[in-house]
Structure formats: C-alpha cells, structure tokens
Amino acid sequence: MELFEELQWRGLVNDVTSPDLENEINNGELTFYIGTDPTADSLHIGHYSSLLMAKRLQKHGHHPIMLVGGATGFIGDPKATGERSMLTPEVLAHNYEALHRQISDLFGFQMVNNLDWTKDLSIIDFLRDYGKFFNVTYMLNKETVKKRLESGISYTEFSYMILQSLDFLHLLEEYNCQMQIGGQDQWGNITSGLELIRKKKGADVKAYGLTMPLITKADGTKFGKSESGTVWLDPEKTSPYDLYQFLFNTEDAKVGEYLKKLTFLTPEEIDDLEKQQAEAPHLRPAQKALAAEVVRDLHGQEALDTALAITEALFRGRLQELTPKQRHQAVAPMEKMEIAANLPLEDVLVQTGIAKSKREAREWTKCNSIAINGVKVTDPMHIVGADDMYADDCVILKKGKKNQYCLHLV
C-alpha cells in the first residue's frame, strides 16, 4: 500500500484540509512541522505517536521540523476545562533546553523556537500585521474557544491561535514549510494558520494541514497516564522498566491500535500478532511486542534487556539476581505501603492488612508462604528492618505465588 493508505490503516489520519494532500504525501517531498510547547522538561508517551508520524514521513523523503514553542509556551494553548497556569520565564527556558536535547538525541529533527521570530514583535505590529486578518466571529466558532465561552477565556489564551498561525506563515516563508501536523484538537489552530497564509500570500499557495486522532485508553481517558502519574520519555523520570510495564499492561481492546500507531512493525507482523493474541490472550504476545518495540526504539536494546531482566526476576521471585541500579528501577513504580521498621514479621503482616490476624500470619509464615526479597522466611518473629531493605528503604514481600507488596520502612 502507498504511504497515505498505510497512515490511514494505522489510524493516524483524522482529517486533512485538502484532498490534494494524499498525492503530496505519496509522491512529494514536503517540509512539514509539528509543534509542542515547553510545559514540562520532558515529552511523554502521549507525544510519541506524533513523533513517529514525523519519522514515518521522513523515511519517505519528507522533511520534518520540530517547533518547541518558547513564545506560545508563555501564553498557553486553551484547554476545554479552564485557564492554564502561567509558567515563569526561567521554567520555560529550562523546559525548552531539556526538550531541545531530548528531541535532538532521540529523533535528530531540525529544531526551531518561535520565540526567535516573536520576541521583538511590537504590540502595534502584531495587531496591524496579523490581528487585522482574524475575524472575531471566526475565532469564536473554533471548537475549544466555544467550549470555554460559558466559563470564560482570557484574551491571552484567546490570542493563542493568532500566534500559532504566525508560526505556520513564518515557517512557510523561511523554510518552504507546506504542512502542519497536530492532534485532532489542533484543527482550529491549523486551519487558522492556513487562513492567514491565504490572506497574506494568496489563495494559490500550496499549504496543508493534517490532524491525527488522539490516543486514549479503553475507558476514554488520556493515554500516557498511569496510577503513578505521567509516563515520560525521559528515562530518569520514567525508567525503561516502568515504561515496559505500562505498555505490557495495555488493555486487549487497545493493543492492536497501539501496535499500529506506536511501532514500525509491518501490517503483516501486526496481523500475525493480533491472531496470536486472539488464540492465547493470557500469554499477551501483542503486549510483549508493543512494550519491547517502544522501549527498544526509545532507549536501546540494553535498556530493553534490563527491563526484561527485572520483569523476569519479579515474576520468578529471583530478586537477588538484580543489580543495585536494577533494584531501584524495580521498586520505583511500585505502590508503597508504609510500615515502621524493626517490627516482627507477624506484626508487619497484620498492620499492613496482608493478614487478618497474627494467627493467620503465623500459619502463612510457617507454611513457607511468605518471602522477603525473594527469600522464604519461616520465622513469624523475624524482625523486618535495615538488613532486609532491598532498595530505596523498601522491602519486597510476597505472599504465595501472586501477591507481591512493596513495604516502605519508616
């Protein structure tokens, strides 16, 4: 299949601004851009599909530009739920530098900062040269703005679409950038940019927009959120092991979609994995492939090997085989149960609610059902203290074959 058809098969095309774009993507050499604002010092897994979209197009001869919004970050893209908190210049500068390094290291894309062409723009020039081309009624009809009219929207956030439109015009003029790509929630901003280009450069200028469906979980919530928080691309914020576990725990109903959107596996390979998944869902072949592909692509084979080693050690109870660094990765994402140090094991089991009574705790312990850090403990009066700490002041306690707990000793 041709490239545009494959993008549709992968579920990466929500809408396009012109039917001509299919031919341009299949046969042209477009310069295009994807933008993000430096609201944090790392991208998260929810951004990953967009970045892979850029790589897919790049592999077929198109040229990606990654825009990190040093200027638009000061303003904030309007959310449907309310005003954003404004970040300080120092935080924005730190976040910009962090994202610049991350994107350059991971993907090698050409990088631009919209602060470079807006920082010296006077308010008079902004209103005369750009604001004059935006009809307020047109702006009010944009979906996100309409959602905010009842609760209220500041003029600052209302003006965001003008700044983003200015970006598209500038990149067209400076780099012959003919296409902007964004999530489906960016449709209003993208079409506003095209409208500005049409009014400033003429209707014959070739410029396009493409939006991608937002990736969600089966319950409709945002993809990239876990019980412990956002899943980041920075391995210092989300370890490769934690990322592997997040993807390994993907719902069966969504794993096929994620394989299409988040990996470079071929249609044939994905079809085969979906068949394996249907035949043996308990073995989770599709989830294993998804987790392995993403971790390897982002962090390399060594990081994937570490994630697999930690997973195997936790599953098999061979916790003593892990290095100190691997132990830290294993413990970091676990839900912690705080318990005082230097208590007898039977008291620990009762106070954490793992056992209902001391009698039950003693029975489990004497029957070889309790392990601390992978080692069986048969003495219910064993003192759980400093000598038992596995990593980060934590002890990993296992009851039976499946119930595992992370105890934080305080």
Side-chain angles (χ1 to χ4, degrees):
M1 64 180 76
E2 293 195 274
L3 177 57
F4 190 82
E5 184 182 357
E6 181 183 334
L7 297 178
Q8 289 181 310
W9 175 81
R10 290 184 181 273
L12 294 171
V13 179
N14 187 71
D15 212 345
V16 296
T17 57
S18 168
D20 296 338
L21 187 55
E22 179 174 353
N23 181 63
E24 293 287 345
I25 285 177
N26 286 336
N27 303 306
E29 294 183 6
L30 291 172
T31 296
F32 66 94
Y33 88 97
I34 295 176
T36 188
D37 287 337
T39 53
D41 58 3
S42 172
L43 298 175
H44 55 72
I45 193 67
H47 292 113
Y48 191 53
S49 176
S50 299
L51 295 166
L52 287 193
M53 178 69 149
K55 284 184 71 173
R56 296 181 206 281
L57 291 167
Q58 186 181 44
K59 285 176 176 288
H60 284 78
H62 302 287
H63 177 67
I65 295 175
M66 189 73 197
L67 183 150
V68 179
T72 42
F74 276 101
I75 304 303
D77 193 3
K79 298 187 299 182
T81 54
E83 290 280 319
R84 293 180 182 272
S85 299
M86 298 188 74
L87 301 177
T88 66
E90 293 76 19
V91 169
L92 285 166
H94 166 76
N95 290 350
Y96 174 83
E97 292 301 324
L99 293 187
H100 190 287
R101 288 193 301 271
Q102 185 177 61
I103 296 167
S104 296
D105 291 346
L106 288 176
F107 299 97
F109 297 150
Q110 179 182 357
M111 302 280 294
V112 295
N113 181 354
N114 57 18
L115 189 62
D116 292 340
W117 57 83
T118 56
K119 65 180 184 298
D120 297 324
L121 185 64
S122 73
I123 186 63
I124 298 299
D125 290 338
F126 174 77
L127 292 173
R128 286 180 61 87
D129 296 343
Y130 304 104
K132 191 67 174 176
F133 292 97
F134 286 82
N135 183 286
V136 171
T137 303
Y138 171 83
M139 296 172 72
L140 289 172
N141 282 324
K142 296 300 181 182
E143 183 177 356
T144 302
V145 174
K146 282 198 295 186
K147 290 179 179 178
R148 287 281 298 281
L149 288 180
E150 185 173 336
S151 61
I153 182 171
S154 68
Y155 178 77
T156 298
E157 290 196 3
F158 184 62
S159 66
Y160 184 93
M161 73 173 70
I162 301 180
L163 281 178
Q164 187 165 313
S165 299
L166 194 161
D167 292 343
F168 201 171
L169 175 63
H170 176 86
L171 294 176
L172 175 72
E173 293 175 337
E174 292 296 316
Y175 302 100
N176 192 33
C177 178
Q178 294 179 288
M179 178 170 66
Q180 181 182 357
I181 294 176
Q184 66 187 68
D185 57 342
Q186 292 298 306
W187 179 255
N189 290 327
I190 292 173
T191 53
S192 294
L194 291 170
E195 184 71 4
L196 178 63
I197 289 170
R198 182 185 68 80
K199 290 178 177 178
K200 295 277 282 188
K201 310 296 291 186
D204 295 334
V205 174
K206 289 186 177 181
Y208 309 97
L210 183 151
T211 61
M212 299 174 292
L214 299 178
I215 304 181
T216 61
K217 297 182 182 179
D219 62 3
T221 57
K222 284 186 176 181
F223 176 74
K225 297 287 186 179
S226 70
E227 290 182 1
S228 57
T230 302
V231 180
W232 303 99
L233 301 191
D234 183 343
E236 296 301 318
K237 294 168 75 75
T238 298
S239 72
Y241 164 72
D242 201 3
L243 175 60
Y244 184 93
Q245 289 301 312
F246 172 78
L247 295 167
F248 179 77
N249 288 314
T250 295
E251 307 99 322
D252 288 350
K254 300 293 284 187
V255 67
E257 174 190 341
Y258 296 168
L259 282 168
K260 293 175 182 178
K261 293 180 177 179
L262 300 177
T263 77
F264 283 98
L265 294 175
T266 66
E268 292 76 19
E269 289 170 326
I270 293 173
D271 286 345
D272 182 56
L273 282 168
E274 289 182 323
K275 290 176 183 176
Q276 293 180 41
Q277 186 76 15
E279 293 169 359
H282 62 287
L283 297 179
R284 305 179 76 77
Q287 284 90 345
K288 290 178 182 177
L290 170 68
E293 289 293 319
V294 175
V295 172
R296 185 190 296 112
D297 189 46
L298 278 171
H299 303 306
Q301 184 63 44
E302 184 177 348
L304 174 59
D305 290 342
T306 295
L308 292 172
I310 296 171
T311 301
E312 180 70 8
L314 290 174
F315 181 74
R316 301 293 180 189
R318 298 201 295 262
L319 302 181
Q320 300 301 319
E321 298 177 1
L322 298 181
T323 66
K325 185 176 181 180
Q326 290 172 338
R327 293 183 181 195
H328 168 74
Q329 286 194 42
V331 166
M334 290 183 176
E335 185 177 351
K336 311 296 192 299
M337 301 171 68
E338 286 200 352
I339 187 72
N342 302 316
L343 292 176
L345 176 57
E346 65 176 16
D347 289 337
V348 170
L349 292 171
V350 172
Q351 290 188 26
T352 56
I354 297 171
K356 295 178 181 178
S357 66
K358 288 188 177 183
R359 182 183 61 80
E360 189 174 56
R362 288 193 292 270
E363 287 178 356
W364 286 343
T365 306
K366 292 177 179 179
C367 291
N368 270 343
S369 295
I370 301 297
I372 292 178
N373 305 329
V375 179
K376 295 287 187 179
V377 178
T378 57
D379 180 7
M381 299 308 294
H382 170 85
I383 301 301
V384 181
D387 292 343
D388 295 308
M389 287 182 182
Y390 186 71
D392 304 339
D393 296 332
C394 291
V395 172
I396 298 179
L397 188 148
K398 191 170 186 179
K399 177 176 73 80
K401 293 183 178 181
K402 296 182 178 181
N403 299 305
Q404 189 161 258
Y405 309 90
C406 185
L407 309 182
H408 182 227
L409 302 186
V410 295

